[in-house]
């Protein structure tokens, strides 16, 4: 395939590179350690967003803007500090999104497929839950009087957001209908139920409507499709339970409802925009479903009103793996879907930077694992990243 564009002529002069190197050195030398304590924390997590995905996303971002792409810079790459993390779980060389979620949200490595539990818990064994629960940073922030929120492009009961509030021997126990009889008999609670009752979460935005309502409840968006109906066997309407337990709480299920929410009039907002996971950005209905950028902005505007500060977890699981949409895209071998999700996560990072100040807000961008994703060969500069 021919290159899209030829490299800029300026790059052919040594001065161009020397000047850039000098500027970066001066910025590094001028960097001062932060003297004050952050009041707010935003943790962005690109599910499956390894280094090769970031490289490709950077190029894709530049090509979307009409450039050759390689010289582009992601918003997350402008941060002053970068580090690498090892992502194995106690029992797996290559981890899943539940074990890793427990690690970066609760601070302890755990077993694969378990949520909010130490390594003493055994996957799928309900009884090993009790006494092995570990608390997340979201839970601790709430206890400290901060407002807290979750934004995800998957179902809000999924592994990555689930680690912020749930203690479950299985990441798959979304609703009681997904649990074995033995686990219910032994007293374990499904993840949707824990979402509503474990920690007082101010903002919950993502997918996952079907796990919240009784079996047979028609979905508001797809009432004619029985596959999208509620799945709960216990007859509980967890959305109604959540609303009645909070003053100033609102529930919305489409973009119109989200846009209509006045940030200064609600203390609690739940937005569930799909029965299961939200759609990939490239397939998103822009009139009915909000983007990750729009959800992030709404969350920050609501949480920001707490003088004690806030903690916000933002996940895009459609990157190249199985957590968010980045991850899901990689799982399915859909490079374009995965990379667009990574670009969208980066846009959310940029928007959060515009809405907050580094003087009082610590923003961290990370991934929970990488994907078997690579691009190679002697491709010419500016070659389509999908070429």
């Amino acid at each position: 395939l021919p290159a899209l564009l030829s490299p800029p002529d300026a790059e052919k002069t040594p001065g161009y590179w020397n000047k850039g190197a000098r500027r970066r050195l001066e910025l590094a030398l001028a960097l001062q350690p932060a003297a004050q304590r952050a009041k707010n924390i935003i943790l962005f997590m690109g599910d499956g967003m390894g280094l090769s995905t970031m490289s490709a996303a950077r190029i894709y971002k530049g090509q979307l803007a009409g450039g050759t792409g390689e010289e582009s810079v992601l918003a997350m790459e402008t941060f002053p500090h970068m580090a690498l993390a090892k992502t194995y779980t106690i029992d797996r060389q290559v981890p899943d999104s539940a074990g890793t979620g427990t690690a970066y949200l609760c601070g302890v490595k755990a077993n694969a497929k378990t949520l909010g539990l130490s390594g003493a818990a055994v996957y799928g064994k309900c009884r090993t839950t009790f006494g092995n629960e570990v608390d997340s940073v979201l839970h601790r922030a709430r206890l400290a009087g901060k407002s807290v929120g979750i934004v995800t492009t998957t179902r809000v009961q999924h592994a990555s957001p689930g680690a912020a509030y749930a203690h479950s021997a299985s990441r798959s126990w979304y609703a009681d209908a997904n649990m074995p009889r033995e686990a219910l008999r032994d007293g374990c609670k499904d993840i949707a139920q824990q979402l509503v009752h474990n920690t007082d979460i101010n903002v919950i935005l993502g997918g996952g409507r079907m796990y919240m309502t009784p079996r047979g409840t028609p979905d508001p968006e797809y009432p004619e499709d029985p596959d999208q109906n509620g799945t709960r066997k216990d007859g509980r309407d967890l959305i109604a339970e959540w609303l009645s337990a909070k003053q100033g709480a609102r529930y919305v299920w489409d973009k119109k409802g989200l846009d209509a929410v006045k940030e200064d009039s609600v203390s609690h907002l739940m937005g569930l925009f799909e029965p299961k996971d939200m759609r990939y950005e490239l397939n998103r209905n822009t009139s009915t479903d909000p983007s990750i950028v729009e959800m992030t902005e709404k969350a920050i505007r609501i949480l920001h009103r707490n003088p004690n500060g806030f903690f916000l977890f933002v996940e895009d699981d459609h990157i190249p793996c199985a957590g968010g949409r980045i991850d899901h895209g990689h799982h399915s071998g859909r490079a374009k879907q995965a990379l667009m999700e990574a670009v969208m996560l980066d846009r959310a990072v940029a928007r959060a930077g515009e809405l907050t100040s580094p003087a009082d807000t610590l923003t961290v961008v990370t991934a929970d694992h990488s994907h078997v994703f690579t691009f190679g060969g002697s491709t010419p500069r500016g070659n389509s990243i999908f070429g």
Side-chain angles (χ1 to χ4, degrees):
L1 283 169
L4 299 176
L5 297 160
S6 57
D9 281 340
E11 290 187 8
K12 295 169 185 172
T13 64
Y16 172 86
W17 302 104
N18 293 334
K19 201 167 129 192
R22 178 181 288 275
R23 191 174 70 247
R24 285 180 186 83
L25 281 170
E26 286 167 351
L27 285 169
L29 289 167
L31 190 62
Q32 297 290 321
Q36 59 203 101
R37 197 167 166 172
K39 183 171 79 164
N40 313 311
I41 301 173
I42 307 176
L43 175 57
F44 284 97
M45 203 283 295
D47 201 308
M49 189 176 69
L51 295 177
S52 56
T53 300
M54 285 187 67
S55 298
R58 176 193 311 119
I59 295 171
Y60 186 35
K61 174 185 176 176
Q63 293 182 350
L64 284 170
T68 52
E70 296 80 4
E71 67 295 321
S72 182
V73 180
L74 296 167
M76 61 182 86
E77 293 176 315
T78 64
F79 284 27
H81 303 285
M82 283 194 208
L84 294 169
K86 296 178 189 172
T87 61
Y88 63 93
T89 50
I90 284 181
D91 58 339
R92 296 275 177 97
Q93 195 173 64
V94 178
D96 80 313
S97 298
T100 52
T102 303
Y104 61 76
L105 286 167
C106 305
V108 302
K109 280 199 182 289
N111 290 314
K113 301 185 181 180
T114 65
L115 281 178
L117 300 172
S118 72
V122 180
Y123 168 64
K125 295 274 182 278
C126 166
R127 287 184 188 180
T128 65
T129 304
F130 310 111
N132 293 320
E133 300 91 344
V134 287
D135 287 334
S136 74
V137 59
L138 176 135
H139 183 73
R140 294 177 206 186
R142 194 72 190 100
L143 291 181
K146 296 183 186 295
S147 291
V148 297
I150 288 168
V151 168
T152 180
T153 54
T154 52
R155 60 202 90 175
V156 294
Q157 306 86 354
H158 208 273
S160 307
Y165 58 81
H167 310 287
S168 179
S170 171
R171 59 177 284 175
S172 313
W173 293 350
Y174 299 122
D176 60 340
N178 305 103
M179 295 175 69
R181 212 171 287 158
E182 181 191 26
L184 290 167
R185 194 179 63 233
D186 289 345
C188 280
K189 306 267 194 286
D190 62 87
I191 296 167
Q193 195 181 148
Q194 295 189 56
L195 168 68
V196 169
H197 292 290
N198 281 10
T199 301
D200 178 24
I201 306 175
N202 299 86
V203 177
I204 301 166
L205 300 175
R209 286 191 294 252
M210 65 163 48
Y211 309 112
M212 307 294 279
T213 55
R215 179 179 275 183
T217 306
D219 185 80
E221 195 172 357
Y222 314 105
E224 307 301 317
D225 182 358
D227 289 344
Q228 313 302 333
N229 287 356
T231 63
R232 300 197 66 81
K233 286 178 169 176
D234 57 13
R236 292 168 68 175
D237 181 340
L238 294 178
I239 297 166
E241 286 181 25
W242 186 82
L243 283 169
S244 64
K246 324 266 178 213
Q247 280 190 313
R250 285 279 298 280
Y251 167 70
V252 298
W253 56 268
D254 64 359
K255 184 179 176 329
K256 197 170 77 181
L258 183 70
D259 292 344
V261 172
K262 294 188 168 59
E263 294 95 2
D264 52 4
S265 68
V266 297
S267 60
H268 291 76
L269 173 65
M270 181 187 289
L272 303 179
F273 304 106
E274 284 291 330
K276 286 186 182 172
D277 296 329
M278 292 181 69
R279 295 170 187 269
Y280 286 102
E281 177 61 24
L282 290 173
N283 307 114
R284 180 170 68 88
N285 181 329
T286 53
S287 61
T288 58
D289 293 349
S291 70
I292 189 171
V293 183
E294 291 162 339
M295 291 192 292
T296 300
E297 172 158 356
K298 185 65 79 172
I300 291 172
R301 289 189 185 281
I302 291 172
L303 300 174
H304 220 294
R305 290 175 26 239
N306 186 336
N308 293 323
F310 67 84
F311 171 82
L312 174 62
F313 175 64
V314 181
E315 179 211 23
D316 194 320
D317 186 357
H318 295 194
I319 304 175
C321 93
R325 301 271 71 183
I326 301 175
D327 184 47
H328 285 172
H330 277 321
H331 275 295
S332 315
R334 297 175 181 160
K336 195 166 191 177
Q337 304 279 26
L339 296 183
M340 189 65 212
E341 296 301 325
V343 168
M344 288 301 289
L345 180 72
D346 195 60
R347 288 179 186 169
V349 171
R351 187 69 187 117
E354 294 165 357
L355 294 166
T356 58
S357 162
D360 66 359
T361 303
L362 169 68
T363 304
V364 178
V365 186
T366 190
D368 58 347
H369 54 88
S370 186
H371 259 269
V372 185
F373 169 78
T374 188
F375 57 105
S378 305
T379 46
R381 176 79 180 272
N383 190 70
S384 167
I385 196 64
F386 306 118

